[in-house]
Amino acid sequence: MIINTNVMALNAYNNLQNTQMSLSSSLEKLSSGYRINKDFGAFIGVQFPSAQAGRAWIAALMPQIATAAEVSSFNAAFKGAAARTGLSQTTVSATWINLAFTYPGLSALAVIGSELSQFPTEFREGMVARANLLGDVGESAPIRWPAALQTQSHALVIIAAEHLADRANAIRQQKQLAAAHGVKVVWAQNAAVRSDQPGFEHFGFKDGISQPGVRGYTAVSDPSNPNQGAPGQDLLWPGEFLIGQPTQAGAGQPITTPGPIAQGGPQWATNGSFLVFRRLRQDVAGFRAFVHSTAKSVGMSEDLIGAKLVGRYRSGAPLETTGNQSTDPGLSYPALLADANINNFGYADPAGAVVPLAAHIRKGNPRDEATDQGGLADTLTHRIIRRGIPFGASLPPGTPSSHAIANPPFPNDRGLFFLCYQSSIARQFEFIQRHWVNNPDFPTKGAGQDPISCQTTLPGSFTLPASRAHHLELMTRFVLTTGGDYYFQPSVSALRTLAPQA
Ligand code: N7H
């Protein structure tokens, strides 16, 4: 089948005019991680007292919603100004607001039953009801979440700002707007890139490197490889992320063949996306202590053990292409971190002697590796667009786990707000979490569990081939779920249909 990429490109662009911003800004290949996104974020959960009040509030909020097309032009202007002036922050700035709804939220807005019933089961049930299936048990069980975060929201207001003062203003304005419409703020949480290590998450690893690209939207860097955006970045049909668009065809089909149109709700859900929002607490002192003791017991350096657990060294340098080096090669060879190299690899080592089969990035995206479901063509049906941002203060190096600041209780804890977009939560986020990350027998029997994001009952296991240990017991979970839900983020025109007519 011949694909008319120009038509697709145009369609995808038109969709983005209508798509809320947070999805699109993550599509851009951003080598500097979080930094080029906004440095400050906030998430406000609200409840509607009545359908009328909720709809009036949406109408009042509408003029503030940032669209994907606006964000694209803003980012271009931002980069242009930064290049011209050499300044990174001060020249152009904007605060983005986006809006997403839980199923109870859509119901509270009195969306009619015949439309509500078209939303998929997992979205209707919500994250709490799916806890056992996700492995959110024990310390991650919803009953253990901070009491303040256990109230289910009807809608999530997402704020992204360049400066601290802009965020404070945006939060104040949002609270005033909600109060003016009788809409109740049930919780509000702040997030920010780490000021001491922007672009790195709390364990100390560079984040925001590998994202799928979108056919017709993401620029192809090498015309001889039209299936990739930046080198190593697979291009997917837009329906993997937007309802109403063609999806990947899946196993047994060429990856260039468009699959069925993504279904996910009533007609007005077209060009919207499902958002998984998780508040993940990180035990940084515990992780550091584990890396330290494992390095000693298996006779490897701490840099290498960290890379074995994640699949990348702290700098972001991929373990797959750099081999078993004791010191982080990204520090001596910055070229490894350039767009041409940082994500440009597949997994050539089926035994995991270099990158363990359960390393975080290998579990989350097995790339070209053969899997029980059919290899790359299937794997491309389980991708997500991630948009994470840290919360909490960095843990100073050398802080012992016994120190009060090592593991402070909510709200002073630290971690990552994990956000991801997809057209099917069941086929994308949930599949990754259940069938890959938590499953000790994926991709092969005894491979072990993802030591970073696995959520299951303890103990867990991690197989480290070609080392003295071979098998490591994971006695602690370094990442715990402490809140979250499933949301639907409608297109801008769909928001108009939810708001009352003027
Ligand atoms: Fe992960 N980390 O610091 O170790 N993640 N992650 N993640 N993650 C990635 O490529 C991290 C979490 C994926 O395409 C990197 O951007 C932490 C969940 C996927 O090669 C680093 C937490 C899920 C990828 C981290 C966390 C995933 C990925 C490398 C929680 C899904 C891309 C940088 C606190 C269920 C894989 C990068 C690919 C990358 C970390 C959570 C999935 C450093 C700390 C819950 C698909």
Side-chain angles (χ1 to χ4, degrees), residues 356-378:
L357 299 175
H360 177 65
I361 66 163
R362 192 164 183 172
K363 277 279 193 180
N365 177 15
R367 299 185 179 226
D368 57 344
E369 183 173 329
T371 64
D372 54 348
Q373 315 261 322
L376 180 66
D378 172 69

Side-chain angles (χ1 to χ4, degrees), residues 103 120-130 152 485-486:
Y103 180 77
T121 310
E122 67 281 4
F123 171 67
R124 286 191 271 145
E125 290 186 355
M127 190 182 282
V128 168
R130 310 284 281 184
Q152 186 166 39
D485 215 334
Y486 293 161

Side-chain angles (χ1 to χ4, degrees), residues 201 206-210 282 360 364-365 367 386 418 433:
E201 54 66 56
K206 175 95 168 166
D207 205 354
I209 298 170
S210 173
Q282 291 177 254
H360 177 65
N365 177 15
R367 299 185 179 226
R386 291 173 300 128
F418 173 87
Q433 186 76 44

Side-chain angles (χ1 to χ4, degrees), residues 201-212 278 280-282 287 309-310 312-313 316 343 345 347 360-367 382-384 386 415-416 418 420 429 432-433 437 450 452-453 478-479:
E201 54 66 56
H202 280 293
F203 292 149
F205 291 82
K206 175 95 168 166
D207 205 354
I209 298 170
S210 173
Q211 297 280 19
R278 270 161 98 69
L280 301 175
R281 175 183 293 156
Q282 291 177 254
F287 180 78
L309 299 174
V310 172
R312 291 185 185 274
Y313 289 87
N343 202 33
F345 59 92
Y347 292 112
H360 177 65
I361 66 163
R362 192 164 183 172
K363 277 279 193 180
N365 177 15
R367 299 185 179 226
H382 307 297
R383 300 299 315 278
I384 46 180
R386 291 173 300 128
L416 185 78
F418 173 87
C420 73
F429 167 71
I432 297 172
Q433 186 76 44
V437 166
D450 174 345
I452 305 294
S453 54
F478 307 114
V479 170

